[in-house]
Amino acid sequence: MSKKYSLDNLIKAIILIDNEVDCKKLLDDICTIEEANKMAQRLEAAKLLLSGYTYEQVIKETKISSTTLSRVSRCIQYGDGGYKTIIDKLNKNE
């Protein structure tokens, strides 16, 4: 099985999720608690960066490592816009 095929199936599975209960079930099955928490931490860090927080403020608020925060920042600056797209959608639903 190729990596692309596996990633495509994962993407399709995520798109099919239409409620929080099913999403939590999938995350519980597919990730360790630590992995899911790290993803949540990265998303929160991205939200704070996009809101104008400094690196120091984000690290203090989220307890994220500076290395991981740097990666999140690079994704925001040079990536495909995934963080911003999802955070904008989350903000609309609040």
Side-chain angles (χ1 to χ4, degrees), residues 5 10 19 22 30 42 49 54 57-58 65-70 73 75 82-83 85 87 94:
Y5 178 78
L10 177 60
N19 62 73
D22 288 347
I30 207 166
R42 290 180 196 129
L49 284 176
T54 65
Q57 291 169 319
V58 174
S65 73
S66 59
T67 302
T68 302
L69 182 56
S70 178
S73 179
C75 288
Y83 279 122
T85 299
I87 290 166
E94 288 182 346

Side-chain angles (χ1 to χ4, degrees), residues 20-35:
E20 289 182 31
V21 171
D22 288 347
C23 185
K24 184 177 182 327
K25 286 179 183 179
L26 179 62
L27 285 175
D28 286 347
D29 286 349
I30 207 166
C31 301
T32 65
I33 298 223
E34 180 72 16
E35 290 167 334

Side-chain angles (χ1 to χ4, degrees), residues 41-66:
Q41 182 187 47
R42 290 180 196 129
L43 186 61
E44 182 63 21
K47 181 178 179 181
L48 295 174
L49 284 176
L50 288 167
S51 296
Y53 282 57
T54 65
Y55 266 41
E56 292 79 20
Q57 291 169 319
V58 174
I59 289 169
K60 183 177 179 183
E61 184 77 22
T62 64
K63 309 292 188 243
I64 197 168
S65 73
S66 59

